[in-house]
Amino acid sequence: MVVPEYACYHHVEVRHPYEEFYLLIIGLMSYMRTHPEAPDELVADLISDTLHLDLDPTNTAD
């Protein structure tokens, strides 16, 4: 599973992983259907913000 593995190396602020991923996936599917022109960078930002992830490759704090 992704969350436990990620949590081994990073602080995880997601209290309800199953529900959070469920809402994220359903919401992204709905968003992409109504906004198919959305850039990949925006989608990546939405995912990282929702899951409180730091996707900055230059950040080596962890």
Side-chain angles (χ1 to χ4, degrees):
M1 186 161 184
V2 175
V3 174
E5 186 173 336
Y6 183 86
C8 289
Y9 302 100
H10 306 280
H11 176 69
V12 177
E13 296 182 28
V14 177
R15 292 182 302 188
H16 306 284
Y18 174 83
E19 291 81 0
E20 192 82 34
F21 276 98
Y22 183 87
L23 289 173
L24 176 64
I25 291 168
I26 297 302
L28 278 175
M29 287 172 43
S30 298
Y31 182 79
M32 295 304 296
R33 285 183 178 166
T34 59
H35 299 85
E37 73 288 345
D40 291 344
E41 294 81 14
L42 173 62
V43 175
D45 285 345
L46 293 172
I47 293 168
S48 66
D49 288 350
T50 301
L51 298 177
H52 309 285
L53 302 176
D54 182 9
L55 298 181
D56 182 3
T58 62
N59 185 0
T60 57
D62 289 326

